[in-house]
Structures are given as C-alpha cells and as structure tokens.
Amino acid sequence: LFLQFVFHTYTTAFTLVNGNGTPKAEEYSLQQKQMILGLGAISYSACAGALPLLFMNRYALKSSLMQLVARKLLPAPLFGLTSAFTVAMVRSPEFENGIEVMDRNGKIIGVSKKAGEKAVMETALSRAVLFGTTFFLPEVLMYCVQRARLVKNPRALVPVRMFVVMSVLAGMLPVSFSMFPQCGEIKRADLEPEILSSTEETEFFYNRGI
C-alpha cells in the first residue's frame, strides 16, 4: 500500500505540473481544488492497486492460480486504469472550464471545453498505455527468461527483473509521449458555436500537456 501511495503521488504531482495551465474559473481556488482531487485520486488508486495482494494475504489464498492472478495478471491493467483515472481527476478542471484554442498562427481564439476534454482524454490514454505496458511486458519477458533457464542463480532474478522493468519503461516513455502530438489539433465542427462565430478558421490547436 505504501509503495502504491508513493507511485501515485509522484504521477499525480507530475500531472499537476504538466497540465495545460489555462486560467480557469474565478469562483474557487484552482490549486485547492486540484490538490483535493489529487489526494482523492492518490488514495483511491493506491487502495485499488494494493487490494488484490491485501485480499490474498488477508484470506491466506496461497494457491498457484491466485498467485498468478494477483501478482502477474492484475497489476498491469490496474496500473493502467488507475494512472488514467488519476490524470482525469487531477485535470478535470480543464474539461469543466475549458482550455485555450489557437489558430495556425498562434492567435488565441477562445476557451473550449471540448478541446479540454480531448486533451485530458488523450493524456489519460497515453498514461494508461505507458504504465500498463511497463508492468505487463516485464512479466512476459521474465517468464521467457525463467522458462529458457537463461539465469541459473535464483538470486540473480531480482536485478534482472529490475533491469527489464527499467528498460521497458525507458523504451515506453517516448512511445507514450508521441502517441498524440503535444500541440493537439481539433476540427472546426468539434468546437462550440460561440468560438466559431468569431473566426473563419477551419483548424484549431491546443496545448495537450503531458
């Protein structure tokens, strides 16, 4: 539970720092709201991520099937889903209040909720792919290593696993960040009428965040 809490605290802080940054509504403190949402997302994600192991240990479920499910199969989708959930929660003010959209010359046309929703959903998807794959591929690779008996000493499996995880993470970082362009594009038909009434442009752009 502690390690889950540390992991989601880091990803939440990263999300807070690297959001869109468009000024939001004035009737509340954005920083306070995002901090509350962040703490809620961290607590929920940490509990959800640790629940399979806590449940298994609590009820002494030591069968090989339960070990396989709780330790090998569930972590990857759980990390992917909770990482996407954290992004959506922390950056929810962006699709509630909108983000700035620009024309091709960089001129700000207006603030769009639909662009904010698109930016948050793209970032959440890329984060889910990043951490889901990072926790899935090492298990597959380590299974192949153990099956082929490439590592003779059982104690050596721990550093090998760490090396594999770090290698997959390093490889997935650029893949995740390049899934969607940093300067996202949204079509005219997808924007609000009040924005379209002020311009004849057909393509608009926004800062997606990371």
Side-chain angles (χ1 to χ4, degrees):
L1 184 60
F2 174 75
L3 293 177
Q4 290 275 348
F5 188 84
V6 171
F7 170 79
H8 290 292
T9 299
Y10 172 79
T11 57
T12 299
F14 182 89
T15 302
L16 281 170
V17 172
N18 294 282
N20 177 272
T22 298
K24 307 300 192 303
E26 299 178 356
E27 62 267 20
Y28 59 80
S29 169
L30 174 65
Q31 289 77 17
Q32 290 180 357
K33 180 174 182 179
Q34 285 187 307
M35 288 297 293
I36 293 172
L37 289 172
L39 288 173
I42 292 169
S43 301
Y44 178 85
S45 298
C47 291
L51 188 61
L53 289 178
L54 293 175
F55 184 82
M56 186 180 69
N57 293 333
R58 172 66 177 81
Y59 294 99
L61 302 174
K62 302 298 184 181
S63 68
S64 58
L65 177 60
M66 289 302 302
Q67 293 281 340
L68 174 65
V69 171
R71 296 184 181 276
K72 306 295 184 182
L73 300 181
L74 278 181
L78 273 178
F79 270 107
L81 290 173
T82 53
S83 298
F85 171 77
T86 300
V87 172
M89 284 291 290
V90 172
R91 293 182 56 180
S92 61
E94 292 181 25
F95 56 77
E96 290 176 357
N97 302 290
I99 61 174
E100 292 175 345
V101 291
M102 304 163 286
D103 61 17
R104 61 178 64 255
N105 297 317
K107 179 183 177 182
I108 297 175
I109 305 299
V111 176
S112 170
K113 294 182 180 180
K114 292 183 178 179
E117 180 179 351
K118 191 169 185 287
V120 174
M121 292 302 104
E122 288 176 348
T123 306
L125 179 58
S126 67
R127 198 70 61 79
V129 170
L130 169 63
F131 291 114
T133 305
T134 299
F135 284 92
F136 172 73
L137 274 184
E139 293 299 334
V140 175
L141 295 175
M142 288 304 299
Y143 173 79
C144 295
V145 168
Q146 291 176 285
R147 188 71 180 267
R149 300 182 184 277
L150 297 178
V151 179
K152 305 298 183 181
N153 187 351
R155 294 183 178 179
L157 288 175
V158 175
V160 170
R161 181 184 295 274
M162 291 297 297
F163 174 77
V164 170
V165 170
M166 295 303 296
S167 300
V168 172
L169 179 59
M172 283 303 302
L173 277 172
V175 173
S176 170
F177 290 158
S178 63
M179 283 181 61
F180 303 99
Q182 182 65 38
C183 185
E185 180 179 346
I186 185 168
K187 300 297 184 182
R188 182 182 180 90
D190 296 330
L191 288 175
E192 293 87 342
E194 56 268 24
I195 296 179
L196 302 179
S197 62
S198 62
T199 180
E200 297 298 323
E201 292 284 344
T202 58
E203 294 181 341
F204 301 88
F205 303 90
Y206 58 88
N207 174 28
R208 178 175 66 84
I210 300 177

